[in-house]
Amino acid sequence: MLNHKWMRAGVVSLAVSLVVGCTSQGHVQSSTARQSANAASQGSKAKELEVVSHIQFIELRGHSQFLSAERVTQEVTAVIQALTPQGAQALVKRVVSVNNQLEDFALLNAETRKADGRRLPVDEQNISRQRGVVSTGTAISWQDFDLIQVNFPDLQVGDQIAFTTRTTTKQAALPGGLWTQASVEPTQPIQHFAWTIEAPQSLHLHVETPLLNTQHSVSNGQERWSTEYGPSTAIPAEPNWANTSKRVPRVLASTYPRLEDLGDAFARVMRDKMSPTPEVQALAQKLTQGLNSDHDKARAITDWVRSHIKYVAVFLGTGGFVPHDVASILINGYGDCKDHTLLLHSLLAAANIEAAPALISTGSDYVLPPAAISAFNHVITYLPGLKLFVDSTARDIPFGALPFEDSDKPVLVGLKSGTQRMHTPAFTAEQNRLVVNTHWTIDADGRAQVTMKAQGWGQSATAMQDRLQDIPPAANAIAVSKILGQAGWQGRGFLRYDPIQRQQQTQAFDAEATITNLLPDPSGGQLNPSLQMTQDALSIVRNMGDFQTPSRRFDKLCTPKSVRETFTFQFDPKYKLVKVPQDFQRDIPGRMHFEAHYEQQGNTITGWRAFVRTQAHHVCTTEDYEREAPVYREVAQHLRTGLLFTQ
């Protein structure tokens, strides 16, 4: 999504034109690593931290005047105070991005308001404009963008910056419609938020103002909506929060009556750009030669697009929604998600396979907006004949599967018969599985020999592949030493794994290591049966999630998953095992099952622990959390129990 940003991203969104910004193959790779990091953070004990606000909004006021279905003028005034040195540093330089082909922008005033009452206007020397946005890798380059930088003079703690901007559309990003939105970021304190929207009554503007006090009036053929909010204190961010838009005060206005109308407009743009050229037809015939089923043909074409078209985003004018020509995509061998989708659809059409674009958000919102604004940053493909979603930018995901960001999401699918709201498939615990086996032989001096075997399926396998792919072949032993070091251990070892096959969402590895300091005090202590060599998200603790806080303000990511740990601990005869955990089981019917079993034979302990989250979707609502958290806390307490030993 492209927003005019005067504040940090997410503080306020004033978009009169939107970009389908697209995820990329690189984004998909990094996301799985991020999921591992998220899972690790879920395992730590939750702490209700006091929010330290470096800035506060004294005032945020806006006026949106819709002139027609494709023209709107907006004026925005913001007054922001620096509360700390960090806040002053963050506010001293503000940058706004403007699409000069789609909108006119004016900075009406900008000044520093000193705590002693003085006002220091920003002079022309402190305002600079850069033409075009150029980037490397998978980031977006936009040649029609201007970056306007404003430096506020003599800004100290307690001072305020104040500015007013005006933006007027020149051309709609999509034909026949415009939208605008403004939101209050909950993690920043705000004293007063006010927004007005005006439009001709004949325009039938659709306005939604969730969580805001709104007055609506009609006079002389003009409709007017006035909203107010505040004061509001900052709300702390929560681990793995989801659907934050449900709890954020927002102003949404659109000239499209329904989200489906926005989807229809985008689908028309895509269909108009499709080009079954002789080159496209010849390529489709070559790729599908000898294949009989539509499934096999679609897979061959999708795999070719994934492997031959690099992800590069270079936009001109309305390029946020309009893809490049098919011929240029083929010649250049690169494009963003819209380009990938357009080429894929053109090739599929040449093979007589119907395809439809599906607008989707890859963020943490799993709900559609209540008005027809574009809350989408990506486009994937739906194959009606196969009832299958495909992401042609996701190189590391096999055909028939979707990456985490695309899964269990509402989408707008631009079918020929009209746009429909649909939902991408969610993970299931059976598909998203992890099995880890460990064997520990513990010497009398606290040293240990350990072997570990791990097998993953689905998203768990993709995350494992990402991690293994980051290890250079010549650095295998070094990587194991570093992994042990992350757990506070010293030792050496090695990894073994078959070559990574991205088109098969399964992965396994074996590891062996010698740890010289497994037991800090061999004379006695406790050892957790979930002990593992690696700090990656391979244990139940790191995949179950954090349920320690009694309640939440926001929904929570709770991805369906199955994790099974089996373990064997062989202690030297000099040890005496004082206590072994008892068998344990807890259930939340239809949602979660946990079970643990332990056996002791002399100085050998064997057992297993199994955690299965079977719920149908990737999100736990705040009501789900409050109802289920006590059971999860009982499981977490059991997972902290260990083997007690002495010599």
Side-chain angles (χ1 to χ4, degrees):
M1 181 190 300
L2 171 69
N3 297 325
H4 304 315
K5 300 186 181 80
W6 273 94
M7 284 63 74
R8 288 180 180 265
V11 174
V12 62
S13 168
L14 310 172
V16 295
S17 60
L18 246 304
V19 51
V20 181
C22 305
T23 63
S24 67
Q25 177 259 342
H27 178 78
V28 171
Q29 286 184 347
S30 64
S31 69
T32 53
R34 185 175 66 252
Q35 289 306 308
S36 298
N38 285 347
S41 68
Q42 289 178 351
S44 61
K45 183 177 180 180
K47 296 180 180 179
E48 186 72 18
L49 298 177
E50 179 183 357
V51 180
V52 178
S53 299
H54 299 293
I55 65 173
Q56 73 166 331
F57 283 81
I58 304 301
E59 182 180 25
L60 182 57
R61 175 167 39 88
H63 177 76
S64 302
Q65 177 67 62
F66 280 79
L67 306 173
S68 69
E70 297 190 357
R71 186 174 173 82
V72 61
T73 294
Q74 294 195 131
E75 286 195 10
V76 181
T77 296
V79 181
I80 316 171
Q81 185 179 33
L83 302 178
T84 67
Q86 295 95 321
Q89 182 64 45
L91 294 178
V92 71
K93 179 175 69 175
R94 299 284 84 196
V95 177
V96 62
S97 55
V98 179
N99 187 324
N100 57 53
Q101 295 297 307
L102 301 184
E103 56 203 359
D104 288 325
F105 173 82
L107 176 62
L108 302 183
N109 74 279
E111 63 184 15
T112 299
R113 296 181 179 178
K114 301 293 291 180
D116 61 10
R118 290 179 295 139
R119 297 193 174 193
L120 308 179
V122 176
D123 57 34
E124 292 185 2
Q125 293 181 343
N126 281 315
I127 303 174
S128 59
R129 181 184 290 256
Q130 172 186 312
R131 301 302 299 268
V133 177
V134 180
S135 59
T136 60
T138 60
I140 295 174
S141 296
W142 204 312
Q143 299 178 22
D144 290 333
F145 254 52
D146 290 352
L147 294 180
I148 302 167
Q149 176 178 309
V150 180
N151 300 322
F152 290 87
D154 193 22
L155 184 66
Q156 307 296 328
V157 174
D159 296 344
Q160 303 170 1
I161 66 169
F163 55 85
T164 300
T165 66
R166 178 190 297 138
T167 306
T168 303
T169 56
K170 297 189 293 185
Q171 178 184 356
L174 273 174
L178 281 177
W179 56 88
T180 184
Q181 58 178 318
S183 60
V184 176
E185 168 58 48
T187 60
Q188 300 288 355
I190 186 168
Q191 296 302 311
H192 184 240
F193 171 89
W195 208 274
T196 59
I197 297 174
E198 291 186 296
Q201 192 174 9
S202 59
L203 196 58
H204 303 292
L205 192 68
H206 182 193
V207 176
E208 295 284 347
T209 57
L211 305 180
L212 290 171
N213 180 25
T214 304
Q215 302 295 324
H216 176 237
S217 62
V218 180
S219 177
N220 298 322
Q222 286 283 315
E223 287 190 276
R224 179 183 175 90
W225 294 262
S226 300
T227 68
E228 284 194 283
Y229 179 83
S232 175
T233 58
I235 298 174
E238 295 177 336
N240 299 291
W241 59 5
N243 295 335
T244 55
S245 64
K246 289 167 51 178
R247 314 288 182 182
V248 173
R250 294 185 293 166
V251 176
L252 313 174
S254 178
T255 61
Y256 290 112
R258 307 171 305 141
L259 270 168
E260 288 83 351
D261 299 314
L262 186 151
D264 287 343
F266 178 69
R268 283 193 296 270
V269 168
M270 294 292 288
R271 283 195 291 270
D272 290 345
K273 296 287 286 188
M274 284 182 61
S275 180
T277 63
E279 282 184 318
V280 169
Q281 293 175 342
L283 179 57
Q285 184 176 4
K286 176 183 176 182
L287 295 174
T288 58
Q289 187 173 4
L291 302 177
N292 296 319
S293 70
D294 284 352
H295 183 278
D296 290 346
K297 292 177 181 180
R299 178 172 56 188
I301 291 172
T302 302
D303 288 347
W304 186 91
V305 173
R306 284 174 168 173
S307 60
H308 286 76
I309 306 300
K310 297 180 179 64
Y311 182 89
V312 177
V314 179
F315 299 155
L316 289 169
T318 58
F321 275 108
V322 181
H324 294 86
D325 294 331
V326 171
S328 67
I329 299 169
L330 280 171
I331 291 171
N332 293 326
Y334 64 72
D336 75 335
C337 62
K338 301 180 299 298
D339 300 327
H340 274 250
T341 300
L342 177 65
L343 177 58
L344 176 63
H345 290 195
S346 298
L347 289 167
L348 290 170
N352 297 315
I353 299 173
E354 184 182 355
L359 286 168
I360 188 171
S361 170
T362 61
S364 59
D365 261 10
Y366 289 72
V367 292
L368 291 173
I373 65 165
S374 180
F376 312 102
N377 64 352
H378 192 39
V379 59
I380 60 176
T381 294
Y382 180 65
L383 304 176
L386 301 176
K387 292 182 170 52
L388 195 65
F389 287 96
V390 172
D391 188 338
S392 57
T393 69
R395 287 190 175 191
D396 296 338
I397 303 295
F399 181 80
L402 289 175
F404 175 83
E405 291 87 350
D406 296 351
S407 300
D408 195 30
K409 292 292 183 66
V411 290
L412 292 182
V413 179
L415 299 170
K416 290 181 179 179
S417 58
T419 294
Q420 291 186 16
R421 303 185 187 204
M422 299 179 69
H423 212 91
T424 61
F427 292 164
T428 67
E430 177 64 24
Q431 295 167 338
N432 187 21
R433 280 189 295 145
L434 185 64
V435 175
V436 181
N437 304 308
T438 56
H439 188 286
W440 303 79
T441 302
I442 303 171
D443 297 341
D445 60 0
R447 295 166 57 91
Q449 301 289 328
V450 57
T451 61
M452 178 178 180
K453 298 179 182 294
Q455 173 83 46
W457 293 264
Q459 177 66 21
S460 295
T462 297
M464 191 182 295
Q465 290 171 340
D466 291 341
R467 186 72 168 127
L468 293 173
Q469 189 168 274
D470 288 340
I471 301 174
N476 189 306
I478 296 174
V480 172
S481 295
K482 288 185 176 180
I483 290 170
L484 295 176
Q486 292 173 359
W489 296 329
Q490 297 174 357
R492 66 177 187 272
F494 60 88
L495 290 170
R496 288 187 302 262
Y497 56 92
D498 293 332
I500 294 172
Q501 301 290 333
R502 289 291 191 174
Q503 295 310 309
Q504 298 177 8
Q505 228 175 0
T506 62
Q507 186 65 46
F509 73 85
D510 299 342
E512 294 185 18
T514 299
I515 302 173
T516 59
N517 64 335
L518 177 68
L519 302 181
D521 182 5
S523 65
Q526 175 176 296
L527 203 59
N528 194 299
S530 291
L531 201 62
Q532 291 187 4
M533 286 173 53
T534 172
Q535 294 298 298
D536 286 340
L538 299 178
S539 67
I540 293 174
V541 170
R542 295 182 179 276
N543 282 279
M544 188 177 69
D546 179 11
F547 287 83
Q548 294 305 307
T549 56
S551 63
R552 288 176 63 99
R553 298 180 179 89
F554 298 93
D555 295 345
K556 183 181 187 299
L557 290 175
C558 297
T559 309
K561 190 164 190 175
S562 171
V563 184
R564 183 179 178 87
E565 306 169 351
T566 64
F567 45 82
T568 299
F569 290 89
Q570 287 184 304
F571 287 83
D572 186 276
K574 293 183 179 179
Y575 289 99
K576 178 182 179 181
L577 301 184
V578 179
K579 184 178 181 181
V580 177
Q582 298 297 307
D583 291 355
F584 183 86
Q585 180 175 323
R586 288 293 183 273
D587 280 287
I588 302 175
R591 304 273 298 177
M592 187 275 287
H593 174 78
F594 175 84
E595 190 171 354
H597 176 71
Y598 311 88
E599 290 185 8
Q600 179 181 356
Q601 291 186 347
N603 267 20
T604 298
I605 304 296
T606 60
W608 53 266
R609 290 170 165 177
F611 167 77
V612 186
R613 181 180 283 129
T614 56
Q615 64 191 54
H617 295 288
H618 289 201
V619 173
C620 295
T621 66
T622 54
E623 294 79 12
D624 292 335
Y625 182 91
E626 189 168 351
R627 182 175 59 252
E628 298 172 3
V631 180
Y632 274 93
R633 285 196 285 272
E634 289 183 46
V635 174
Q637 182 176 351
H638 176 80
L639 289 170
R640 290 192 292 270
T641 62
L643 313 169
L644 297 182
F645 63 89
T646 186
Q647 285 199 34

